[in-house]
């Protein structure tokens, strides 16, 4: 027997499907999978009118409480219990996946199999093996596939990528990223049973807070590490079972090296990304970019110089402010334009596997107390992750109800 809420949803779906079918070529009808912190934030963006050519057509969530909340919040928007029902309704052209991390690939694959475009929240998944399957499904479908790497919209990192790709910085020699301003108190970890557990999230700071930086690390410099040696401390100063303090050392094919340091317990924290090349050094910190540019490349100076203790002439350049970042709105706008007008994606979904590969390699190196090489040994990483899930005896002592943020900032 169909209950009243199901009947209402079905009626809304039929009416809206008929009314909206005529405008499919001029609008992208989005369905959101999961209306927690991120999903509800994306829904508000779509309803705000800021994304030309996009509209919120439906939402779904497995929680009855969340579904009722959504009905009250967005009157007239069909609410489904399952993503399969939403996809089969004919109401949506694209889905925005904002459910728990482990489910990202399976939800995406289901949507691709039904001929629907997919925009997935970060991370692409928890382990590379499942994300590779998602990428293969995307390729078979021929549909648009994007990932919400909203930091790729940040003008600072776009400028860094431009300076490096144009050769302005010369060949990359070293990278250092200290990203310890992800401060999270115990109350944050106690705000949900799934948080900071191997079974619930598949990791800690690497899989939850740092996917953006791990992506930018490879995206801005244009290359992936060949091997990584890492040390992850689990539950440092916090009652959790996953990593919240990480130091990783990376090596690249051209001889460059990199260090990545992150933590959720440092107060105050630091966010400083430093890239050194043959022609100088670029530093991004406190929302500013500084370029210490050598008058001649270091390699040239070293070959020609005959004076002990001499050093290359260096000019300090304060790179002008590049403008505000459109963040999540920019990513959704770009994805909408890709569907409607064939725009090039800023963050193709297939590239989600790159930052995740680095994350998985850092985990694997720490777990095995050895180097992890890239491309990653996916089967070994998955086996080690499963070992930790199966052996876990961790139980949260004080789980509190999480407060809802007003926007998309700091929601993880």
């Amino acid at each position: 027997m169909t209950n009243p809420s199901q009947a209402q949803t079905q009626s809304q779906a039929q009416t809206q499907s008929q009314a909206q079918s005529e405008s499919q070529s001029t609008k992208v009808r989005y369905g959101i999978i999961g209306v927690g912190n991120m999903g509800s934030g994306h829904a508000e963006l779509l309803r705000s009118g800021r994304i030309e050519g996009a509209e919120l057509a439906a939402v779904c969530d497995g929680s009855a409480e969340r579904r009722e909340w959504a009905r009250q919040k967005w009157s007239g928007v069909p609410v489904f219990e399952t993503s399969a029902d939403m996809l089969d309704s004919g109401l949506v052209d694209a889905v925005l996946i904002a459910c728990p991390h482990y489910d990202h690939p399976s939800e995406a694959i289901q949507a691709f199999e039904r001929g629907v475009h997919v925009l997935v929240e970060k991370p692409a998944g928890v382990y590379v093996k499942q994300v590779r399957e998602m990428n293969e499904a995307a390729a078979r479908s021929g549909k648009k596939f994007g990932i919400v790497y909203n930091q790729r919209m940040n003008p600072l990192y776009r400028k860094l990528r431009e300076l490096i790709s144009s050769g302005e910085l010369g060949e990359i020699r070293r990278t250092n990223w200290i990203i310890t301003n992800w401060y999270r108190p115990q109350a944050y970890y106690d705000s949900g049973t799934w948080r900071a557990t191997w079974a619930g999230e598949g990791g800690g700071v690497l899989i939850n807070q740092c996917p953006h930086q791990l992506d930018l690390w490879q995206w801005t410099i244009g290359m992936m590490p060949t091997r990584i040696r890492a040390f992850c401390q689990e539950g440092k100063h916090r009652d959790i079972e996953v990593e919240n303090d990480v130091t990783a050392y990376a090596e690249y094919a051209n001889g460059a090296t990199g260090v990545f340091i992150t933590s959720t317990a440092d107060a105050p924290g630091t966010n400083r990304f430093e890239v050194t090349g043959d022609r100088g050094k670029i530093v991004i910190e406190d929302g500013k970019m500084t370029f210490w540019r050598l008058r001649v490349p270091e390699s040239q100076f070293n070959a020609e110089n005959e004076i002990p203790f001499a050093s290359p002439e260096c000019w300090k350049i304060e790179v002008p402010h590049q403008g505000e970042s459109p963040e999540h709105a920019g990513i959704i706008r770009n994805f909408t334009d890709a569907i409607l007008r064939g725009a090039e994606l800023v963050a193709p979904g297939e590239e989600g596997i790159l930052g995740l590969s680095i994350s998985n390699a850092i985990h694997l190196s720490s777990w095995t107390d050895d180097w992890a090489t890239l491309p990653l040994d996916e089967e070994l990483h998955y086996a080690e992750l499963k070992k930790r899930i199966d052996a876990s005896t961790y139980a949260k002592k004080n789980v509190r109800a999480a407060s809802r943020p007003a926007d998309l900032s700091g929601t993880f």
Side-chain angles (χ1 to χ4, degrees):
M1 183 174 179
T2 303
N3 63 44
S5 63
Q6 288 177 324
Q8 181 183 18
T9 293
Q10 290 172 356
S11 176
Q12 288 174 335
Q14 291 171 354
T15 301
Q16 291 196 18
S17 180
Q18 293 170 357
Q20 294 172 340
S21 61
E22 299 175 359
S23 63
Q24 288 187 32
S25 61
T26 58
K27 276 190 177 293
V28 177
R29 301 172 300 161
Y30 281 92
I32 295 181
I33 300 176
V35 288
N37 290 332
M38 294 306 298
S40 57
H42 291 312
E44 289 298 319
L45 271 177
L46 289 168
R47 286 174 61 83
S48 71
R50 292 171 57 193
I51 316 298
E52 182 181 354
E55 65 181 14
L56 179 64
V59 300
C60 69
D61 199 292
S63 164
E65 181 183 354
R66 298 304 302 152
R67 292 196 299 276
E68 183 56 33
W69 176 87
R71 291 189 183 96
Q72 297 296 323
K73 180 74 173 176
W74 304 307
S75 177
V77 175
V79 179
F80 295 87
E81 180 176 355
T82 70
S83 55
D85 286 343
M86 184 176 72
L87 290 167
D88 290 340
S89 71
L91 283 176
V92 302
D93 309 307
V95 292
L96 204 165
I97 299 173
C99 56
H101 308 151
Y102 275 106
D103 296 332
H104 288 183
S106 59
E107 291 289 358
I109 291 171
Q110 177 182 232
F112 285 132
E113 289 176 345
R114 286 168 167 77
V116 172
H117 305 288
V118 172
L119 179 59
V120 63
E121 255 296 345
K122 61 84 179 167
V126 174
Y127 52 96
V128 169
K129 181 180 178 181
Q130 64 170 181
V131 172
R132 190 172 302 284
E133 294 170 355
M134 174 174 64
N135 286 359
E136 292 169 353
R140 290 193 300 270
S141 74
K143 294 298 177 180
K144 297 296 182 183
F145 180 29
I147 185 167
V148 186
Y149 276 151
N150 54 285
Q151 285 303 304
R152 288 195 183 189
M153 302 302 298
N154 189 318
L156 274 174
Y157 299 113
R158 294 174 72 84
K159 185 65 174 180
L160 176 62
R161 176 178 162 90
E162 174 199 321
L163 290 171
I164 292 173
S165 63
S166 68
E168 192 72 24
L169 188 60
E171 184 179 31
I172 301 302
R173 293 186 168 187
R174 186 187 307 278
T175 64
N176 289 281
W177 203 331
I178 303 175
I179 173 70
T180 58
N181 62 344
W182 287 120
Y183 185 77
R184 295 293 185 271
Q186 187 64 44
Y188 163 82
Y189 293 114
D190 292 343
S191 67
T193 56
W194 58 277
R195 288 196 187 279
T197 62
W198 294 118
E201 287 197 274
V205 64
L206 291 173
I207 207 73
N208 194 320
Q209 284 79 33
C210 278
H212 291 301
Q213 285 71 40
L214 292 172
D215 171 61
L216 292 173
W217 194 16
Q218 61 81 27
W219 184 69
T220 55
I221 67 174
M223 57 185 184
M224 287 280 288
T226 55
R227 65 174 190 163
I228 290 176
R229 184 69 177 95
F231 303 89
C232 300
Q233 298 187 62
E234 297 164 358
K236 187 174 183 180
H237 308 304
R238 298 290 184 270
D239 180 23
I240 57 176
E241 69 173 350
V242 296
E243 87 290 341
N244 65 325
D245 191 289
V246 175
T247 299
Y249 168 80
E251 294 183 347
Y252 297 85
N254 73 338
T257 62
V259 174
F260 189 89
I261 297 172
T262 189
S263 169
T264 62
D266 286 13
T270 298
N271 185 355
R272 177 184 173 93
F273 187 25
E274 181 174 311
V275 184
T276 301
D278 190 36
R279 298 191 62 91
K281 177 178 71 176
I282 295 176
V283 174
I284 294 178
E285 186 173 22
D286 297 329
K288 299 177 181 177
M289 177 185 292
T290 305
F291 187 176
W292 280 269
R293 193 183 191 285
L294 300 182
R295 186 176 183 183
V296 298
E298 189 283 329
S299 54
Q300 178 185 338
F301 174 85
N302 187 57
E304 297 173 351
N305 174 65
E306 296 180 354
I307 304 173
F309 301 105
S311 59
E313 182 178 343
C314 182
W315 305 334
K316 182 180 179 180
I317 303 168
E318 299 291 347
V319 179
H321 182 59
Q322 300 295 304
E324 299 303 317
S325 175
E327 298 290 330
H328 299 82
I331 286 291
I332 299 176
R333 187 177 298 115
N334 171 245
F335 189 70
T336 301
D337 288 343
I339 294 172
L340 295 178
R341 291 173 277 278
E344 182 179 355
L345 286 172
V346 171
E350 294 84 355
E351 293 182 7
I353 201 169
L354 300 176
L356 185 65
S357 292
I358 298 174
S359 171
N360 284 183
I362 291 173
H363 270 144
L364 186 58
S365 172
S366 185
W367 292 340
T368 60
D369 194 23
D370 199 359
W371 287 93
T373 58
L374 291 152
L376 184 74
D377 186 334
E378 298 172 19
E379 295 295 339
L380 178 59
H381 172 269
Y382 178 67
E384 289 291 332
L385 173 62
K386 192 171 186 303
K387 186 188 301 182
R388 279 153 182 79
I389 294 172
D390 294 342
S392 175
T393 58
Y394 174 76
K396 293 207 171 184
K397 301 180 182 66
N398 300 298
V399 178
R400 305 180 180 92
S403 60
R404 296 190 57 76
D407 54 33
L408 292 172
S409 61
T411 52
F412 279 101

